[in-house]
């Protein structure tokens, strides 16, 4: 294996791991904000503007759906209570007061 191929695979692996780590962080905070966590809402307001959060949600949408499934859907299935719904429009209105 040549050095160029090694560095190509190294960069691809680094990009994949970065996507996974940032995706988990952002998706957990967005799901927390959808369920009404004041810490998650304040963290998102401090870290993102409206446009930055919009593009982050687009980029990490698969991770967001996965986090919602594991953090909200499965527990509500077992407890028979719905804690929050997956509504990004309502989240953006609550966070940034845009309509």
């Amino acid at each position: 294996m040549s050095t160029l191929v090694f560095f190509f695979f190294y960069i691809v692996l680094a990009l994949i791991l970065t996507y996974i780590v940032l995706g988990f962080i952002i998706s957990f905070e967005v799901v927390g904000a959808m369920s009404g966590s004041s810490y998650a809402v304040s963290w998102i307001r401090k870290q993102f503007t409206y446009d930055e959060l919009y593009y982050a949600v687009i980029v990490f949408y698969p991770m967001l759906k996965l986090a919602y499934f594991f953090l909200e859907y499965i527990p509500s299935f077992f407890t028979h209570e719905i804690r929050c719904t997956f509504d990004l429009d309502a989240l953006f209105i609550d966070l940034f007061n845009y309509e």
Side-chain angles (χ1 to χ4, degrees):
M1 178 183 308
S2 70
T3 306
L4 186 61
V5 173
F6 173 76
F7 283 116
F8 173 75
F9 285 130
Y10 182 76
I11 290 171
V12 168
L13 180 64
L15 289 174
I16 290 170
L17 291 176
T18 302
Y19 178 83
I20 290 171
V21 169
L22 287 177
F24 275 128
I25 293 168
I26 291 172
S27 63
F28 288 158
E29 293 295 333
V30 169
V31 169
M34 279 192 289
S35 67
S37 169
S38 61
Y39 175 77
V41 169
S42 66
W43 185 85
I44 289 174
R45 285 183 180 158
K46 186 170 51 169
Q47 298 294 327
F48 294 106
T49 63
Y50 178 84
D51 291 332
E52 290 171 347
L53 183 64
Y54 179 76
Y55 291 123
V57 165
I58 289 173
V59 169
F60 297 115
Y61 192 74
M63 299 290 286
L64 185 60
K65 291 295 272 190
L66 188 66
Y68 178 78
F69 179 74
F70 283 117
L71 294 175
E72 295 294 333
Y73 183 74
I74 291 178
S76 69
F77 181 72
F78 289 124
T79 60
H80 302 294
E81 93 180 51
I82 297 173
R83 291 184 281 177
C84 78
T85 59
F86 190 81
D87 189 9
L88 292 174
D89 294 331
L91 174 71
F92 279 97
I93 290 171
D94 291 341
L95 286 175
F96 300 107
N97 297 323
Y98 289 137
E99 291 192 22

